[in-house]
């Protein structure tokens, strides 16, 4: 049952219990809102292998009091690097330097663990599974969400609706009917987890290492419980059929440097995931629609090339909570839009550009790519890093409940 008594901060309904929706619910609770989360899945969980949490999102989680839990569950990485298929190092960034400059660590964590941290922070009773939102509306004095639940179609009123239903957002399509929707990035991603015993034998440093090939890339890093996460990007036609077997990847990456073939060979078939990558190529005109705020992939799905989709969703969550704590809705949502849209849309553009550069398949173009990345001055590499990580969450006082 969804409660009907009015809390001091107001009542929010969050649609979608992914990392973005749960982070928003935790942040809104912190500033005194009553929050109900509607999730269409019958059971809560995060599919997928791991997610990297960069300094910007680590600082946002710190603002929610969750950095210790993240540190306990994750592998704190000592850096980022890129290599050629033969293993020659092209670029590298030291995480100690990032921490000193930007005030946050670099982590790699199982998605289910991060999801669990957010769920625990939210407590019981806030998430309502088996409810598929079908539309959101905003009026002069309130907002509402229509949904299909266990008892059939229903609707719920709220002072604020947070749309966090992912890249294929049904609610965004209803609110912005002329928006063209997601685009295919031109590549598919395989992901897997290597069991701890095999990972220990292979030996993978606590670093996010990415290897650039021709029309393909491979990345790996430990996740904090002894297992190692890897991903492989491959150019592919939209909707192409793929042989879903680790053995096929083992032969495709057989001549890449150690530990790539060993990691693939040690991955059980049942740990193999594949997703075609979709993102919002066209910037959305607003993240606010009256009393409805869009957040995470629903607002600005970025390609995974800069590892920031979940990080930006967590940033959105703390900024949204700070804004609704400082001003009334809907004015607060206009401030949220102004704070979030320029940054997220600029990074979405940057991520797409980096992805196109890294997924080149022509021998000459990839040679130029690798040589120019290796010769680029450190200041250039650090500029991209600064654009992403040099972000600070609202002050802790902005994330405390108002009396
Ligand atoms: C291969 C890959 C690797 C990535 N790696 C990283 C990384 O290392 N670091 C990083 O920061 N990001 C990464 N990302 C991006 C990150 O996964 C996403 O940006 C992030 O998970 C988005 O979270 P979200 O909550 O906005 O959306 P989602 O995770 O998509 O959650 C949406 C939720 O809404 C629910 N839902 C959908 N429709 C409805 C409805 N109508 N009613 C109710 N509920 C609904 C869904 O069931 C789901 O639970 C990666 C993405 C990919 C594909």
């Amino acid at each position: 049952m969804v409660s009907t008594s009015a809390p001091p901060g107001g009542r929010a309904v969050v649609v979608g219990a992914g990392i973005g929706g749960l982070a928003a619910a935790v942040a809104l609770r912190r500033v005194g809102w009553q929050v109900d989360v509607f999730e269409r899945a019958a059971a809560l969980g995060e599919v997928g292998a791991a997610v990297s949490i960069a300094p910007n999102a680590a600082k946002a989680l710190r603002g929610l009091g969750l950095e210790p839990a993240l540190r306990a569950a994750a592998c704190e990485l000592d850096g980022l690097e890129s290599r050629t298929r033969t293993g020659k190092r092209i670029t590298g960034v030291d995480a100690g330097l990032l921490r000193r400059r930007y005030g946050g660590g670099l982590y790699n964590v199982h998605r289910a663990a991060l999801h669990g941290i957010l769920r625990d922070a939210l407590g019981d009773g806030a998430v309502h599974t088996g409810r598929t939102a079908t539309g959101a509306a905003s009026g002069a004095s309130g907002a509402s969400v229509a949904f299909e639940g266990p008892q059939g179609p229903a609707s719920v009123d709220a002072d604020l609706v947070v749309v966090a239903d992912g890249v294929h957002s049904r609610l965004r399509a209803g609110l912005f009917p002329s928006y063209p929707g997601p685009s295919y990035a031109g590549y598919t991603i395989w992901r897997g987890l290597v069991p701890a015993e095999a990972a220990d034998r292979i030996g993978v440093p606590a670093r996010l290492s990415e290897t650039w090939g021709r029309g393909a890339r491979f990345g790996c890093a430990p996740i904090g419980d002894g297992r190692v996460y890897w991903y492989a990007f491959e150019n592919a036609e939209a909707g192409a059929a793929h042989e879903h077997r680790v053995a096929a990847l083992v032969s495709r990456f057989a001549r890449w440097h150690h530990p790539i073939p060993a990691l693939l060979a040690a991955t059980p078939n049942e740990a193999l995931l594949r997703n075609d990558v979709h993102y919002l190529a066209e910037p959305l005109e607003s993240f606010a629609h009256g009393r409805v705020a869009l957040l995470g992939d629903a607002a600005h799905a970025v390609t995974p090339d800069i590892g920031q989709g979940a990080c930006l969703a967590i940033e959105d969550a703390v900024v949204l909570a700070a804004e609704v704590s400082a001003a009334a809705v809907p004015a607060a949502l206009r401030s949220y839009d102004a704070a979030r849209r320029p940054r997220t849309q600029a990074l979405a553009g940057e991520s797409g550009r980096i992805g196109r550069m890294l997924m080149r398949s022509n021998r000459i173009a990839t040679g130029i790519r690798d040589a120019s990345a290796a010769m680029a001055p450190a200041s250039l590499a650090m500029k991209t890093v600064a654009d992403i990580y040099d972000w600070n969450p609202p002050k802790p006082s902005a994330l405390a409940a108002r009396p």
Side-chain angles (χ1 to χ4, degrees):
M1 268 308 274
V2 178
S3 146
T4 53
S5 62
R11 171 174 308 113
V13 170
V14 176
V15 176
I19 289 168
L22 287 188
V26 171
L28 287 168
R29 275 266 181 97
R30 258 185 100 84
V31 297
W33 283 62
Q34 179 189 313
V35 187
D36 290 292
V37 183
F38 283 15
E39 166 58 48
R40 74 176 167 194
L44 265 191
E46 257 287 316
V47 213
V51 63
S52 60
I53 295 296
N56 52 318
K59 288 182 280 184
L61 288 169
R62 184 184 307 157
L64 297 176
L66 300 179
E67 200 185 21
L70 173 70
R71 190 174 293 124
C75 174
E76 185 159 5
L77 302 176
D78 60 24
L80 303 164
E81 66 176 18
S82 58
R83 293 183 181 269
T84 65
R85 277 193 311 173
T86 57
K88 193 168 145 233
R89 195 168 147 115
I90 306 173
T91 60
V93 178
D94 171 48
L97 174 70
L98 298 181
R99 182 176 275 287
R100 285 191 299 281
R101 276 206 188 159
Y102 307 119
L106 185 63
Y107 300 90
N108 198 37
V109 64
H110 197 286
R111 275 173 189 265
L114 177 59
H115 202 253
I117 289 169
L118 294 167
R119 254 173 18 220
D120 289 350
L122 196 54
D124 292 335
V127 182
H128 309 274
T129 53
R131 284 165 174 80
T132 300
T134 52
S138 177
S141 58
S144 63
V145 175
F147 66 95
E148 294 276 349
Q151 271 83 47
S155 96
V156 60
D157 294 334
D159 303 298
L160 163 68
V161 172
V162 181
V163 170
D165 55 348
V167 59
H168 297 287
S169 173
R170 176 173 181 170
L171 268 51
R172 180 188 62 228
L175 294 165
F176 298 95
S178 59
Y179 182 74
S183 305
Y184 177 54
Y187 52 84
T188 200
I189 301 189
W190 300 89
R191 288 177 286 173
L193 281 173
V194 176
E197 205 176 291
D200 188 43
R201 199 170 6 90
I202 295 166
V204 173
R207 189 176 311 140
L208 180 55
S209 180
E210 188 171 289
T211 301
W212 302 346
R214 294 205 298 270
R217 280 142 72 195
F218 186 98
C220 59
I223 61 169
D225 62 3
R227 289 181 291 174
V228 166
Y229 163 63
W230 61 260
Y231 57 84
F233 290 46
E234 279 191 293
N235 285 342
E237 295 294 322
H242 297 268
E243 191 185 353
H244 197 92
R245 277 191 325 121
V246 173
L249 292 171
V250 170
S251 70
R252 227 165 299 155
F253 288 88
R255 299 174 58 143
W256 290 44
H257 69 84
H258 178 79
I260 296 170
L263 290 173
L264 288 169
T267 304
N269 258 326
E270 53 281 12
L272 187 64
L273 296 167
R274 189 187 66 77
N275 296 89
D276 286 341
V277 175
H278 291 91
Y279 71 115
L280 297 189
E282 186 75 31
L284 190 63
E285 67 188 69
S286 179
F287 294 175
H289 191 279
R291 294 173 169 271
V292 181
L294 287 93
L295 177 146
D297 277 9
H300 49 67
V302 303
T303 62
D305 301 291
I306 56 169
Q308 278 288 314
C311 292
L312 293 175
I314 296 167
E315 285 187 11
D316 289 346
V318 296
V319 173
L320 177 67
E323 296 294 355
V324 300
S325 169
V329 176
L333 301 196
R334 291 195 288 275
S335 306
Y336 163 75
D337 175 55
R340 297 306 298 156
R341 202 151 41 84
R343 169 167 168 78
T344 53
Q345 293 182 343
L347 289 181
E350 181 69 359
S351 187
R353 191 191 63 73
I354 290 174
R356 286 188 292 281
M357 191 254 299
L358 294 181
M359 295 309 289
R360 282 178 189 163
S361 52
N362 173 283
R363 183 186 295 272
I364 296 170
T366 53
I368 294 170
R369 172 197 69 193
D370 297 354
S372 48
M375 287 182 322
S379 57
L380 192 64
M382 286 312 283
K383 155 120 187 35
T384 307
V385 164
D387 288 346
I388 304 171
Y389 302 155
D390 195 7
W391 173 89
N392 285 302
K395 291 200 168 53
S397 57
L399 286 173
R402 296 280 172 269

